Amino acid sequence: MSTSGLTDAPSFSGCFHCGLPVPDGAHYPIQFENQTKQACCRGCQAVAQTIIDSGQGAYYTHRTVLPATPQQAEAELAQMGLYDLPEIQESFVRTESENIREAALILENIVCAACIWLNERHIAGLPGVLSVEINYATRRARVRWDNSRIQLSAILKAVSDIGYIAHPFDPGRSDDIYRRERNTAIKRLAIAGLGMMQVMMYALPTYTATDMTADIRLLMSWASLVLTIPVVLYSAWPFFIGAWRDVKRRMLGMDVPVALGIGTAFVASVYSTFSGHGEVYYDSVTMFVFLLLTGRFLEMNARRRAGAAVEELVKLIPAATTRLPHWPMRNEEQVPVARLAVGDHVLVRPGETLPADGEVVEGDSAVSEAMLTGESLPVSKSVHAKVVGGSLNQASPLVVRVEKLGADTRLASIVRLLDRAQSEKPRIGQLADRAAAWFVGLLLVITFFVGLAWYVIDPSRTLWIVVSILVVTCPCALGLATPAALTTGTGRLTRLGLLTTRGHALETLARATDLVFDKTGTLTHGRLSVRRVLPLGDRSAEEVSRIAAALEAGSEHPIARALREAGSASLTASNVHNTPGRGVEGTINGLSYRLGSPRYAAAGEMPPESDSSASWVALAQGSETIAWFALADSLRADASAALVALQELGVRLHLLSGDAEPAVKAVAQQLGIVEWHAGALPEDKLAYVKALQQQGRIVAMVGDGINDAPVLAGAQVSIAMGEGADVAQAAADMVMLGSRLGTLSEGVALARKTQHIIRQNLGWALGYNVIAIPAAALGYVTPWMAGIGMSASSLLVVLNALRLSDFKSSESEIRIQDSEKKPREATALNLTPDP
């Protein structure tokens, strides 16, 4: 055997790492032994180059042929323990602490909800595995483990031991797997369809002809057998593999009764053909194999569509980007995003997607974050602005310094939380799963006794009645009822701008009776702005605004930022002295100025207007007051319409705030909130929510600040503003990705519709089986009819769930959208508590 390396076999035309064909136009180079090799996708490129760079290139050197399949490549790597190398884990493993790791994996050979259940149960049983969540729609698994007790390679091997294949997740590989499985499914379906049509041609004369001789009838049976063999051994092979896998694990999945039905009918038909007497069922076998495969194929496509929201988010990060390696020099290089490091500078041209989270260091542009936040309007970005990986640059070039990469980005966090929410099942879903787990065992018992009864009543009908019972039942519909609806509902909600982070959130939000709001940063923008400028004497508003901006040039206080935004930076102040809690003084063009509270800058003089909704700041030159500035927070543009929409949905509204009573009262009166409380401390807010819960109310809490974290954790369902504190988002069950309050009413409406769909699905699944099993047991359902019923039951559940992906806003939500588009004068509100 040659060990001179892959250079001895230059004819390899597939991917250097996995062996798949390299797509036309793909360019993912791998540097190995001074030669450039090609990979089929970004994931293979990153893994292969990391293996080589980490000194493990012997894997490729001693490999004389490419793997027969990509799965073989993954198995070889897992056996070698290469996936345990920190360099390789960087792209798909997140380190939570010294030993706690979380990996994003994708599973192959998943065909139904029972496969998800089997994998979750098997992986969770491994010593050292802390949790496992598998997304039904995307087949993406998130596994947390203690690296001191179990290695990732052992987890991958455990998955392969039960007949499935796990890979590190990569968007390109996910698409490749889907295309490969879809092509295989089409081939199996085509063979089954052709076989069914030909067998039916031979079967029809035996049903209709009255003068057919026994020899001709036997010839027809032999011809049907020849045509049925490829259907059973190729098209139906996944059912037998799945059944054998379940039996080995001492479990009863959906493939067990299907394989029993197909196998029993086929073996009985073969026996009749060889013995020359008895009935044959080749037409029934080929027909329900074709129908079952048709149902699974349509379900596969529907499942792909249901998980489209997550897949769209995952694919937002580009494969390559333009790096400026010697910034501020402008020399450029194209690099894979996987090669970026924190601190790198990247150039993002108009029309390109930002590759990572970072800060703008040069440029002024508009960036669309629609896919991340649901906000349709682009956001202005200039120097020092934070940008999010996956957002689209629209106007002009930006140079961005990379701050977060991979699993640490906001996009990765959104995907991770969405995966968790879609994998966690509410109580009704857990009940359905337990029922489905016992369903197959009960079905086999029923089939056995029904078969005995028919053997006594009419032995000639026993076989096809037993086959019909085995095929017609469908626990998969029970298993799919909840995850299909949850996946589609949470995906649609994410596109609207409301991220679900806990599985119970949609169910609880649908039942919510009361919605409690914090004020600052939730109903209001949470930042001060200059609402009015009142110059005195012959001075202009522009002049006094420039003076105030110069005095506050070096401060990061909210009032200072508001004054700087209101005036231009054309003047420079010197000898600036800040008195905390009072104001600032300094010299401009030789004149002394003082800016701050009325007591500090205006010698106790009161503002010319009495307005409890504004905070007044005085500007004085020497001892003379020359201007007054009214600063205030403002309500969000859609706050009023959003709250009206919530009230129309029957939700009772509450307002809790730590601010002074005049400001809280002003907000409550303008928004029509009857129940409001001012001066509330965090413990007061929590006590208020607990009091509502003791009255039997289901409370949803909306907040944004650190002080809201306790009450967010205490509510039955909590919603944090996306612009709020990290600790508030960590305590919340849902996070608003944008600033549209209208998302709340849309979320409540969609949550209620999702629960309605789940109940419909469960009702259909239970009702179908309650009717289908007795009908089959009484002999009213033929095997081909059973195949149609079984396929249709699962497909109907998925298609019903897909109605959520087309969820439309009601009239109240449309009014909210209109209110956002129309320019309106914001109502100013005081944020500062009374002294």
Side-chain angles (χ1 to χ4, degrees):
M1 179 181 294
S2 169
T3 59
S4 58
L6 281 177
T7 55
D8 293 339
S11 60
F12 290 147
S13 59
C15 173
F16 178 71
H17 173 65
C18 74
L20 280 178
V22 178
D24 293 338
H27 183 64
Y28 302 104
I30 301 168
Q31 299 302 318
F32 178 65
E33 294 187 348
N34 298 321
Q35 293 191 20
T36 300
K37 307 294 183 180
Q38 292 298 324
C40 65
C41 67
R42 178 162 54 96
C44 285
Q45 179 198 38
V47 170
Q49 195 65 58
T50 305
I51 291 172
I52 295 166
D53 294 344
S54 62
Q56 302 292 328
Y59 167 70
Y60 299 107
T61 302
H62 295 289
R63 185 181 69 177
T64 57
V65 294
L66 284 173
T69 62
Q71 295 89 331
Q72 182 181 331
E74 301 298 332
E76 291 174 1
L77 287 174
Q79 289 169 4
M80 293 175 64
L82 291 178
Y83 278 137
D84 297 329
L85 294 174
E87 300 92 334
I88 293 179
Q89 290 187 0
E90 280 182 0
S91 62
F92 66 96
V93 174
R94 186 170 66 99
T95 302
E96 296 184 6
S97 61
E98 183 179 357
N99 290 315
I100 306 303
R101 311 283 172 84
E102 179 184 87
L105 307 174
I106 187 166
L107 300 181
E108 285 194 58
N109 300 336
I110 299 291
V111 295
C112 68
C115 300
I116 301 290
W117 176 81
L118 172 62
N119 275 277
E120 286 182 338
R121 183 170 177 177
H122 180 64
I123 298 172
L126 298 174
V129 172
L130 305 178
S131 66
V132 56
E133 298 161 352
I134 303 176
N135 188 309
Y136 147 78
T138 62
R139 282 92 55 82
R140 187 163 54 254
R142 294 201 175 270
V143 183
R144 291 178 69 249
W145 74 95
D146 185 341
N147 207 51
S148 64
R149 297 175 60 196
I150 189 172
Q151 298 291 306
L152 177 60
S153 56
I155 297 174
L156 299 180
K157 185 178 183 303
V159 174
S160 66
D161 287 344
I162 59 172
Y164 298 88
I165 301 163
H167 313 282
F169 177 76
D170 175 80
R173 176 172 292 170
S174 175
D175 287 340
D176 289 338
I177 291 173
Y178 170 71
R179 283 193 294 267
R180 190 164 63 247
E181 291 185 348
R182 187 174 184 274
N183 291 338
T184 301
I186 290 174
K187 291 176 186 177
R188 296 188 191 278
L189 188 58
I191 295 297
L194 290 172
M196 178 194 68
M197 289 188 291
Q198 294 299 318
V199 170
M200 289 300 294
M201 289 177 59
Y202 292 124
L204 186 60
T206 63
Y207 294 144
T208 58
T210 57
D211 56 350
M212 183 176 292
T213 64
D215 291 341
I216 297 299
R217 193 176 295 273
L218 183 60
L219 179 63
M220 294 290 188
S221 296
W222 277 101
S224 297
L225 170 60
V226 171
L227 293 168
T228 303
I229 287 175
V231 175
V232 173
L233 297 185
Y234 176 70
S235 295
W237 192 244
F239 298 116
F240 294 109
I241 292 295
W244 176 244
R245 181 172 57 228
D246 291 343
V247 170
K248 281 199 305 181
R249 301 296 306 170
R250 298 180 180 179
M251 298 176 181
L252 294 176
M254 190 56 237
D255 286 331
V256 173
V258 171
L260 280 175
I262 295 173
T264 302
F266 180 68
V267 170
S269 300
V270 171
Y271 174 80
S272 297
T273 302
F274 277 91
S275 63
H277 58 80
E279 297 293 331
V280 294
Y281 302 94
Y282 296 122
D283 53 335
S284 295
V285 170
T286 55
M287 181 174 288
F288 64 68
V289 168
F290 174 75
L291 293 171
L292 291 174
L293 290 176
T294 299
R296 283 199 172 179
F297 179 74
L298 295 174
E299 183 187 322
M300 177 197 300
N301 293 328
R303 180 179 61 195
R304 178 79 172 181
R305 184 181 166 195
V310 184
E311 293 300 305
E312 288 170 1
L313 289 175
V314 169
K315 293 176 184 175
L316 287 180
I317 297 295
T321 190
T322 302
R323 183 167 61 185
L324 305 177
H326 304 105
W327 174 258
M329 296 175 62
R330 307 295 300 194
N331 52 321
E332 304 175 6
E333 63 177 5
Q334 287 289 317
V335 297
V337 171
R339 298 253 192 105
L340 289 178
V342 173
D344 282 350
H345 290 79
V346 295
L347 174 63
V348 185
R349 295 182 173 87
E352 294 181 349
T353 301
L354 278 85
D357 293 1
E359 181 179 336
V360 177
V361 297
E362 181 182 281
D364 190 349
S365 184
V367 174
S368 172
E369 299 177 348
M371 286 295 295
L372 297 170
T373 66
E375 301 279 1
S376 57
L377 297 177
V379 182
S380 296
K381 300 291 182 181
S382 55
V383 176
H384 302 311
K386 300 295 183 181
V387 290
V388 180
S391 51
L392 179 67
N393 185 22
Q394 292 187 332
S396 58
L398 291 174
V399 177
V400 176
R401 182 175 59 250
V402 175
E403 295 182 341
K404 292 182 180 179
L405 285 164
D408 296 326
T409 62
R410 185 184 181 195
L411 177 62
S413 176
I414 291 173
V415 172
R416 190 161 51 246
L417 292 172
L418 189 55
D419 269 342
R420 182 180 69 183
Q422 293 180 345
S423 302
E424 292 178 353
K425 297 181 179 68
R427 289 171 300 173
I428 191 171
Q430 294 170 359
L431 180 63
D433 281 353
R434 286 195 292 269
W438 287 96
F439 188 92
V440 175
L442 181 62
L443 165 66
L444 295 179
V445 173
I446 291 173
T447 304
F448 175 76
F449 284 107
V450 170
L452 284 180
W454 274 103
Y455 187 77
V456 174
I457 298 171
D458 185 354
S460 64
R461 302 181 65 188
T462 301
L463 180 62
W464 70 262
I465 287 177
V466 166
V467 171
S468 296
I469 296 174
L470 289 172
V471 174
V472 77
T473 51
C474 189
C476 272
L478 268 178
L480 292 173
T482 300
L486 279 180
T487 298
T488 311
T490 52
R492 177 59 180 154
L493 208 53
T494 301
R495 286 194 291 267
L496 291 173
L498 187 58
L499 175 67
T500 306
T501 67
R502 294 289 192 281
H504 75 87
L506 269 183
E507 179 186 23
T508 312
L509 184 62
R511 298 186 294 115
T513 58
D514 294 69
L515 196 57
V516 179
F517 286 94
D518 174 49
K519 181 177 75 68
T520 305
T522 303
L523 295 175
T524 68
H525 289 287
R527 58 180 181 269
L528 293 173
S529 60
V530 176
R531 187 180 64 157
R532 298 185 62 190
V533 180
L534 298 178
L536 303 179
D538 57 355
R539 298 177 184 269
S540 67
E542 182 181 358
E543 178 186 358
V544 296
S545 296
R546 287 203 309 268
I547 295 172
L551 291 170
E552 297 285 16
S555 174
E556 289 302 318
H557 191 278
I559 290 178
R561 283 199 297 268
L563 291 170
R564 284 201 305 272
E565 291 172 0
S568 62
S570 58
L571 299 176
T572 302
S574 60
N575 301 321
V576 176
H577 176 70
N578 179 55
T579 303
R582 302 184 68 188
V584 63
E585 59 181 323
T587 303
I588 301 175
N589 295 331
L591 298 176
S592 177
Y593 294 92
R594 180 175 287 197
L595 176 72
S597 66
R599 183 177 300 176
Y600 173 74
E605 180 183 343
M606 297 307 294
E609 297 181 7
S610 177
D611 186 353
S612 63
S613 67
S615 298
W616 290 93
V617 173
L619 174 63
Q621 178 184 326
S623 60
E624 178 189 1
T625 303
I626 62 173
W628 290 93
F629 299 89
L631 284 82
D633 193 5
S634 58
L635 285 174
R636 296 184 184 271
D638 65 337
S640 179
L643 267 58
V644 168
L646 286 167
Q647 289 171 328
E648 289 177 353
L649 290 170
V651 179
R652 196 165 74 180
L653 305 180
H654 307 257
L655 175 61
L656 301 180
S657 177
D659 290 346
E661 182 174 328
V664 179
K665 182 178 181 181
V667 172
Q669 288 178 340
Q670 177 153 353
L671 297 179
I673 300 176
V674 177
E675 300 180 55
W676 57 271
H677 295 270
L681 298 173
E683 54 268 30
D684 299 330
K685 295 180 180 180
L686 183 58
Y688 185 86
V689 167
K690 294 295 185 185
L692 289 175
Q693 292 170 340
Q694 290 173 1
Q695 298 172 20
R697 314 293 292 180
I698 306 297
V699 181
M701 175 70 197
V702 187
D704 77 313
I706 293 176
N707 61 331
D708 294 324
V711 68
L712 287 171
Q716 279 107 330
V717 61
S718 51
I719 304 167
M721 303 296 292
E723 304 165 344
D726 290 343
V727 67
Q729 295 183 24
D733 302 313
M734 310 178 90
V735 178
M736 290 180 62
L737 298 175
S739 58
R740 290 180 56 248
L741 286 176
T743 305
L744 291 173
S745 55
E746 293 171 348
V748 172
L750 182 57
R752 292 178 179 178
K753 186 171 183 180
T754 300
Q755 292 306 303
H756 182 62
I757 293 289
I758 289 175
R759 286 192 290 269
Q760 283 182 340
N761 283 350
L762 290 173
W764 158 255
L766 290 171
Y768 164 80
N769 284 293
V770 166
I771 294 173
I773 294 176
L778 293 174
Y780 295 123
V781 179
T782 61
W784 68 268
M785 292 170 61
I788 292 177
M790 190 268 197
S791 302
S793 61
S794 292
L795 186 60
L796 184 63
V797 163
V798 178
L799 293 178
N800 191 37
L802 283 176
R803 293 195 296 136
L804 293 168
S805 64
D806 298 322
F807 174 80
K808 297 292 191 302
S809 299
S810 64
E811 292 183 5
S812 55
E813 274 80 54
I814 292 172
R815 288 201 300 272
I816 294 171
Q817 295 166 5
D818 290 341
S819 70
E820 293 170 352
K821 295 175 184 177
K822 295 176 183 177
R824 55 176 289 183
E825 182 179 354
T827 301
L829 300 162
N830 180 26
L831 273 183
T832 56
D834 289 342

